[in-house]
Amino acid sequence: MCGIAGIFHAETPKPVDPRRIERMCDAMAHRGPDGAGVWTEQGVGLGHRRLSIIDLEGSPQPMLSADGRAVIAFNGEIYNFRELRRELEGQGAKFRTSGDTEVILTAWQRWGVDCLDKLHGMFAFALYDLDKRQLLLARDRFGVKPLFMTRLADGGLAFSSELKGLLAHPQMRRRVNPQAVDAYLTWGYVPDSHSILSGVEKLQAGHFLLLEQGRPVPAQRRWWDISFADRTKGSEADLSAELVHLMREAVQSRMISDVPLGAFLSGGVDSSSVVALMSEASSEPVRTCSIGFDVAELDETDYASQIAEKFKTNHESRTVASDDFGAIDQISAMFDEPFADASALPTWRVCQLAREKVTVALSGDGADEAFAGYRRQVFHHNEERVRSLLPAGLRQSLFGTLGRFWPKADWAPRPLRAKATLLALAESGEEGYARGLSVAGFDQREALYDPGFVRNLSGFRAEDELVSLMRSAPARSGLDRAQYADLTFWLPGDILTKVDRTSMAVSLEAREPLLDHRLVEFASRLPEGMRVKGTTGKHLLKKCMERYLPDEILYRPKQGFVTPIAQWLRGPLSGEARMIASSSTLSGLGWFKPNAIKRLCDDHISGRSDNSRILWQLLMLDRSLKHLNVSG
């Protein structure tokens, strides 16, 4: 796992100063503390920071091919590199190293862009072909590894694993993108279709960019997509057996490492399944780690301990105080862009714990998106049945009216908090899902915005992107479209961003076996009844793991990392909440109405309503913009 950076002059090749590449890489030293390298040629420069995982001494980067005609800076892991190496050797290729980096170089020289289809793993890389004068920038199927890009004032294209790498370049502009602000307040993160800074874009998951000297910079091209258009036939027993086989292969391929390896263990279905299959494949006890909380209703360590005992793992657990909010500044600096998923705090803590013992940790991320494990997916699946029974006009009249007048009732038990469900049922399935996924709805955001900021948005509404994505999805049902949105929009923007930044901040490589693309493709073809059964998601996944895990683990309510931000913002962080309205950063940019923010704070602190999520978003936005030192 590493950090990469570079500069490419497409239309007019110019010399690249290697010191600029060095500064860009040094800004990401945490991603690769074990080594650094820079390579430059007329019009192009590549840089690399290395975290050594495989072939510890033999694969320095940037790496030149054996014939000296291609060079690569690579971040990630290719899990099937040994199989690809054997295939290439069978075609006459010779190798000088034993790692995966040289395999990518040779695969490019043999197959060109088609080599991407053969790579199984997580990656973002820059590969320059000296004969063709082409630069290939590529990102893995799900966007596990990031890549930021920007056009420089001198016409060059700069790219980097993190935004802070671009910010180290002296020509980097720091002007905020208004649409990214609206998207951030909608979702709690800046999706991959945007960047918080104008002029910066992210290479999309499953996309590549092929640049050539003497030609303008082209548009990104998709090389892989997930499809829900087909259905697999078979009995539950047969499909369950096939799923276990795929999971075994995915886990075992991600256990290849020349450094200590372990796993995150929360005690939930996904991480417990990974640990079970790791234990089955290992002759030594698996190293596991978990984070607990000093508030009983937030703590899952008993479940984690139960799994650790069952599989005799070498387990480490640590308790984090529920008032662990002192790391807010570190978190905002870690992410560069504003990021309001409060579970980033405990995720960072568990990464710190893991790094004390291992350099690589397997996680259970991706299963909820692939197998319909989120409550919102199950609710959407059942809401779609209601939509199919009632005409749109009747739904809009009946549920829309009820929803508008139904009290928000944050204080009430969950069954009585029906406002969001009623409003969602009045809308199309796509609009309803966007409403359920959003943190702050359009009306709430508009009430906060200054009229001048609304004009800057030029009619942009963040929800429309998700609605359009779902409507064009290769899918057959509402559940398909919801999962497609989660896999292509939510997963790379929120979950994978969170894990990448928090793990890389402590120089830890996190691997996601349940995001093996063959496993996800299998899941996308499952009949809906194999994914959702009644009010329970991940049906087949849980069924196939019954031979490994107790029902207490498989069928207990989903919890996840919970951070008590509502209590924080009414207690020890109430002062911080009140300061948001008068923040020199936010008020200086003139985007928001200070009185509207003040009302949110007053209503939350008094207990009249729960505005914690939008207040947390505003707090993290304020901190991030201070770190970025931006202008409006």
Side-chain angles (χ1 to χ4, degrees), residues 18-40:
R19 292 172 298 181
R20 288 189 172 177
I21 306 288
E22 288 175 5
R23 285 194 291 270
M24 293 169 70
C25 289
D26 288 348
M28 304 179 293
H30 52 279
R31 296 186 75 92
D34 298 331
V38 172
W39 175 92
T40 60

Side-chain angles (χ1 to χ4, degrees), residues 180-323:
V181 173
D182 187 64
Y184 163 72
L185 289 175
T186 304
W187 313 118
Y189 58 92
V190 180
D192 277 4
S193 51
H194 297 276
S195 169
I196 193 63
L197 297 183
S198 295
V200 174
E201 63 177 311
K202 301 163 189 171
L203 187 61
Q204 302 289 293
H207 281 67
F208 71 87
L209 191 61
L210 187 60
L211 305 104
E212 187 171 351
Q213 286 178 340
R215 295 179 179 272
V217 175
Q220 298 184 31
R221 291 168 58 188
R222 182 185 288 277
W223 66 271
W224 183 85
D225 196 10
I226 186 69
S227 175
F228 286 82
D230 299 320
R231 291 287 186 266
T232 296
K233 294 181 180 179
S235 68
E236 185 174 279
D238 289 343
L239 292 173
S240 179
E242 185 176 355
L243 177 54
V244 170
H245 172 71
L246 288 169
M247 290 174 66
R248 279 199 192 104
E249 286 195 334
V251 168
Q252 290 173 17
S253 69
R254 284 155 180 81
M255 293 176 69
I256 299 171
S257 174
D258 293 334
V259 294
L261 174 142
F264 302 127
L265 178 59
S266 69
V269 174
D270 307 331
S271 66
S272 298
S273 297
V274 170
V275 168
L277 295 173
M278 289 177 73
S279 298
E280 181 183 66
S282 177
S283 59
E284 301 291 331
V286 174
R287 298 181 180 93
T288 57
C289 63
S290 63
I291 288 291
F293 296 91
D294 61 359
V295 176
E297 57 267 28
L298 303 180
D299 188 68
E300 291 187 292
T301 50
D302 285 348
Y303 298 108
S305 297
Q306 183 179 342
I307 295 299
E309 175 62 29
K310 179 177 177 60
F311 295 103
K312 306 303 179 187
T313 72
N314 185 355
H315 189 61
E316 294 278 344
S317 181
R318 184 168 297 165
T319 300
V320 173
S322 58
D323 60 352

Side-chain angles (χ1 to χ4, degrees), residues 312-341:
K312 306 303 179 187
T313 72
N314 185 355
H315 189 61
E316 294 278 344
S317 181
R318 184 168 297 165
T319 300
V320 173
S322 58
D323 60 352
D324 183 31
F325 49 78
I328 293 174
D329 278 329
Q330 291 166 281
I331 290 289
S332 59
M334 196 180 296
F335 283 84
D336 294 328
E337 295 189 297
F339 190 81
D341 185 337

Side-chain angles (χ1 to χ4, degrees), residues 562-610:
V562 180
T563 307
I565 56 174
Q567 297 93 308
W568 289 356
L569 292 167
R570 286 194 179 108
L573 288 183
S574 59
E576 296 276 358
R578 293 190 188 281
M579 287 175 61
I580 298 171
S582 58
S583 161
S584 59
T585 302
L586 297 186
S587 61
L589 293 168
W591 298 339
F592 302 106
K593 300 172 185 174
N595 287 338
I597 297 177
K598 184 177 183 301
R599 280 194 297 274
L600 284 177
C601 295
D602 291 342
D603 289 346
H604 180 78
I605 292 169
S606 69
R608 288 191 292 270
S609 58
D610 183 355

Side-chain angles (χ1 to χ4, degrees), residues 404 530 611:
R404 283 191 295 275
M530 295 285 186
N611 297 322

Side-chain angles (χ1 to χ4, degrees), residues 82 141 158 162-163 209 219 320 332 347 380-381 395 400 422 459 492 496 521 546 573:
R82 290 173 176 163
R141 293 168 176 82
E162 294 184 14
L163 185 56
L209 191 61
V320 173
S332 59
T347 303
H380 180 72
H381 175 61
R395 286 191 290 102
L422 292 168
L496 296 179
E521 287 170 346
E546 285 181 349
L573 288 183

